Structures are given as structure tokens and as C-alpha cells.
Amino acid sequence: KPVKTLREYVEALRRLWRGEAVHMEGEVQKLRGAHMEFGKGVQIPIYIASTGPKVLHLAGEIADGVLLSAGMTLVSCRRCLDAAEQGSRAAGRDPGALRKAGFINFNVSQDGVAAKKALLRKLAFLFRNKKHADNIKSSGLDIDHDGIIAALSRRDLDAAAALLPLEAANVFGV
């Protein structure tokens, strides 16, 4: 269902930007002659952000680019980009033309250990749900993901960050 809704949304945006009056009875969007009075003909690149294979495949099919989450291993990034590129090929598009962008967590400090510890707090928050399970597993690090989720459910970011080894800063960030 999210894929269908996202497809409808992107289609509506592209038509609006072309200056068309859009009539659509989608599952979420209901447009009855919607149109734009400004910026007609402006083509704004559409990036779709996801780590899920279905949405990434769709991104490759219909989007100008894909946006990857922060805190991902290189293995997870490759998996996500492969799914988007498969979508491009399935739609008869050049996978090399699909733009790729991502967020990177980083910290800068005169004290490298302090910078890494600060980064672990960001990562712990990012890992607050099960959606990062495969990503965390791909790191090869011994990380108590369930413990991180439990600590954050108690709103204890310090306890969650303490469950990440220092080397996680190098694997999931810079």
C-alpha cells in the first residue's frame, strides 16, 4: 500500500510541476483539478528515502534519486542501492542515471574518543526500532539492539549509547 500511495504522490507532483490540472482519486490523495499558478515547467528532482526493498525498487522506477538513511554500514548501503538499481532496470531506465545521496553522522573534536562517544549517542537514537536490525547485524559488531530499544523506551539515551562499542562510530559514521 505505501508503494502505491508513493507512486500516486510522485505522479501528482510531476503533473503539477508540468502545469497540468490534476484529477486523481488515489487512496490518500484526492485531487479535483489541483493546479499550480507558479513555477510551471520547473522540474524539481524527486528523491525517495527508504531502506525497504519495495520502496527502494520503486525509487529506481520513478524517482530521480534515492536518499539513504544515516547510520548504515557499507553492506546495507550496497543492498539499498542494488534494490534501487533493480527498479531502474525493471522500468527500462539507466541505473547509472539514478542519483544517490545519503546522510552521514559525524562528529569533530580535538579528542577523538569524545567525538566517537558523542556519535554513539546519535547512533543509539537512530537504532531505536527494529528497522535497523539487518543493518546492525551487517556490521559484524556485538550490539545489543533489543537493549538499546529498551533503554530508549525508558528515555535513557546514555544507557542506550553505552550498549554500543566505540568501534561502532567507525562502522556507522565518521
Side-chain angles (χ1 to χ4, degrees), residues 56-111:
L56 287 163
H57 193 277
L58 177 68
E61 288 180 39
I62 66 171
D64 300 301
V66 62
L67 179 62
L68 301 182
S69 174
M72 294 179 58
T73 64
L74 293 175
V75 170
S76 291
C77 288
R78 178 69 335 217
R79 178 188 49 79
C80 290
L81 294 176
D82 286 347
E85 289 168 3
Q86 288 171 11
S88 290
R89 281 191 287 282
R93 298 173 71 191
D94 175 12
L98 184 68
R99 297 175 185 174
K100 294 122 184 134
F103 293 102
I104 299 173
N105 281 326
F106 71 94
N107 270 22
V108 178
S109 172
Q110 294 289 334
D111 179 350

Side-chain angles (χ1 to χ4, degrees), residues 24-41:
M24 179 182 285
E25 289 294 324
E27 288 189 32
V28 175
Q29 291 87 16
K30 309 265 190 251
L31 303 175
R32 296 176 182 93
H35 62 280
M36 292 178 53
E37 292 295 325
F38 58 92
K40 292 179 183 176

Side-chain angles (χ1 to χ4, degrees), residues 67-173:
L67 179 62
L68 301 182
S69 174
M72 294 179 58
T73 64
L74 293 175
V75 170
S76 291
C77 288
R78 178 69 335 217
R79 178 188 49 79
C80 290
L81 294 176
D82 286 347
E85 289 168 3
Q86 288 171 11
S88 290
R89 281 191 287 282
R93 298 173 71 191
D94 175 12
L98 184 68
R99 297 175 185 174
K100 294 122 184 134
F103 293 102
I104 299 173
N105 281 326
F106 71 94
N107 270 22
V108 178
S109 172
Q110 294 289 334
D111 179 350
V113 172
K116 288 178 181 181
K117 286 182 178 180
L119 182 55
L120 294 182
R121 290 174 57 82
K122 291 179 183 180
L123 292 171
F125 180 76
L126 184 66
F127 297 160
R128 67 190 176 278
N129 61 50
K130 292 284 187 185
K131 291 183 180 180
H132 268 278
D134 289 339
N135 176 46
I136 291 169
K137 188 175 183 179
S138 75
S139 74
L141 298 175
D142 185 20
I143 294 174
D144 181 2
H145 191 205
D146 289 332
I148 291 170
I149 293 169
L152 288 171
S153 72
R154 298 186 310 270
R155 300 186 187 276
D156 190 348
L157 183 57
D158 291 331
L163 294 171
L164 287 166
L166 200 57
E167 58 264 35
N170 293 333
V171 174
F172 298 104

